[in-house]
């Protein structure tokens, strides 16, 4: 599901897909006009992925969306990772990546975003958790869409709780737009979570949060935030500013920010190894 690899050209890497943003100077000081069509890059998907039967998707609307890609636990599932892909992608590639680092008692759930028009891309439709209007730090954000998407992620957590996995045994994660949604959801939910795995992302609606520490159920939540130091789409500065802000809001001892030399807007073996260590630490076996 992408053009990069986990260490060899033969292994496609989730998230390595260039997002549908211009590659040159993607974060100017002022809002930009929408990119022209050549920048619209979507993952090569077999048509069967799009022709799956119409289901009520997790976004509370009637758009067609396939059911989540799931890596089941090899034995009884006593913990779960819910991981949200980036703009224009689907969950399949990330499910494959987690299958490669799985722990036998953990279930990995990689839902697919609904297909919706994205303002940044001339309202062309693509999988997206919420609308993206602009790329600059002061660009308008889709507040209603972000809040609705967070409610739908909370519903996914509730579904796993009903399946017998308590929320404090669930890690929420995501890449890029999905990581942004994971962070926002963890900071606004009443569900106590096991941790957040936030890859190449930012904190959306940051001005909506009060200055100083937040009094939320997840104020002591462990967060592993990872970012490539050569990311041309979500610059490293966005990640580091997000990390510093999180440390003022939450227990700073539990916020870890790791960078990866030479990594662009994608993932790498080292990052996936760190992700596995984080998951294994905060979702240990219970039997």
């Amino acid at each position: 599901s992408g053009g990069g690899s986990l260490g060899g050209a033969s292994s496609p890497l989730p998230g390595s897909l260039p997002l549908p943003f211009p590659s040159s100077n993607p974060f100017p000081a002022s809002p930009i006009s929408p990119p022209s069509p050549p920048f619209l890059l979507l993952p090569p998907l077999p048509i069967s992925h799009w022709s799956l039967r119409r289901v009520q998707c997790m976004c509370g609307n009637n758009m067609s969306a396939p059911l989540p890609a799931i890596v089941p636990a090899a034995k009884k599932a006593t913990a779960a990772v819910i991981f949200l892909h980036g703009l224009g992608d689907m969950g399949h590639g990330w499910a494959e990546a987690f299958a490669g680092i799985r722990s036998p008692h953990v279930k990995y759930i990689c839902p697919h975003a609904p297909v919706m028009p994205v303002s940044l891309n001339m309202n062309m439709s693509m999988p997206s958790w919420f609308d993206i209007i602009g790329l600059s730090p002061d660009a308008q954000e889709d507040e209603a869409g972000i809040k609705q998407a967070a409610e739908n992620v909370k519903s996914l957590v509730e579904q796993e709780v009903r399946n017998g996995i308590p929320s404090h045994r669930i890690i929420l994660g995501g890449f890029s737009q999905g990581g942004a949604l994971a962070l926002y959801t963890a900071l606004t939910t009443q569900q106590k979570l096991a941790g957040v795995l936030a890859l190449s992302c930012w904190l959306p609606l940051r001005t909506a949060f009060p200055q100083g520490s937040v009094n939320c159920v997840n104020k002591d939540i462990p967060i592993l935030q990872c970012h490539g130091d050569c990311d041309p789409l979500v610059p490293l500065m966005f990640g580091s500013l997000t990390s510093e802000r999180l440390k003022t809001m939450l227990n700073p001892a539990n916020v870890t920010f790791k960078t990866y030399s030479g990594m662009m807007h994608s993932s790498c073996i080292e990052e996936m190894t760190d992700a596995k260590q984080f998951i294994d630490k905060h979702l240990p076996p219970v039997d």
Side-chain angles (χ1 to χ4, degrees):
S1 67
S5 80
L6 271 170
S10 61
S11 52
L13 180 71
S16 58
L17 169 81
L19 292 190
F21 297 160
S23 57
S24 58
N25 191 20
F27 283 82
S30 58
I32 62 168
S33 58
S36 55
F39 294 119
L40 185 72
L41 296 172
L42 291 174
L45 290 172
I47 192 67
S48 60
H49 286 159
W50 295 103
S51 59
L52 288 172
R53 64 187 175 85
R54 191 177 183 85
V55 296
Q56 181 68 29
C57 90
M58 59 168 285
C59 295
N61 59 33
N62 257 329
M63 292 171 127
S64 297
L67 296 170
I70 293 175
V71 182
K75 53 184 186 180
K76 177 179 165 58
T78 61
V81 174
I82 298 174
F83 193 88
L84 311 172
H85 63 72
L87 177 67
D89 201 3
M90 293 184 80
H92 305 288
W94 286 104
E96 290 173 19
F98 283 110
I101 61 166
R102 67 196 296 188
S103 298
H105 62 284
V106 179
K107 174 183 182 182
Y108 303 85
I109 302 156
C110 299
H112 312 294
V115 174
M116 67 173 67
V118 174
S119 297
L120 184 70
N121 284 318
M122 300 174 297
N123 285 321
M124 289 185 184
S125 292
M126 65 191 66
S128 185
W129 300 110
F130 50 84
D131 192 18
I132 294 183
I133 297 150
L135 294 174
S136 63
D138 58 351
Q140 180 187 346
E141 294 184 271
D142 176 18
E143 181 174 356
I146 292 166
K147 289 180 173 178
Q148 180 59 56
E151 290 304 314
N152 300 322
V153 175
K154 294 171 194 176
S155 296
L156 275 182
V157 174
E158 279 304 317
Q159 191 173 320
E160 291 314 304
V161 172
R162 289 194 298 272
N163 288 339
I165 300 175
S167 67
H168 65 82
R169 294 278 295 166
I170 297 175
I171 283 176
L172 205 52
F175 173 80
S176 194
Q177 186 195 40
L181 179 55
L183 282 174
Y184 181 81
T185 304
L187 292 174
T188 56
T189 185
Q190 297 305 308
Q191 303 153 323
K192 186 170 177 61
L193 299 167
V196 179
L197 180 61
L199 310 184
S200 304
C201 65
W202 68 95
L203 176 63
L205 301 181
R206 64 191 185 282
T207 57
F209 294 99
Q211 292 298 317
S213 61
V214 292
N215 183 25
C216 70
V217 67
N218 287 314
K219 62 181 183 294
D220 290 313
I221 194 169
I223 294 179
L224 175 60
Q225 203 187 332
C226 303
H227 219 106
D229 67 0
C230 294
D231 192 326
L233 296 174
V234 181
L236 178 63
M237 180 62 70
F238 278 36
S240 57
L241 288 173
T242 292
S243 178
E244 292 310 307
R245 179 68 192 275
L246 290 172
K247 286 177 179 176
T248 68
M249 298 167 67
L250 306 168
N251 181 343
N254 292 340
V255 178
T256 303
F257 185 55
K258 293 196 171 193
T259 60
Y260 301 88
S261 177
M263 189 172 85
M264 299 181 71
H265 196 64
S266 62
S267 187
C268 64
I269 288 177
E270 187 185 354
E271 181 182 63
M272 293 305 290
T273 301
D274 289 338
K276 177 174 174 54
Q277 289 175 348
F278 179 77
I279 293 166
D280 289 349
K281 177 179 179 180
H282 298 292
L283 298 177
V286 290
D287 40 22

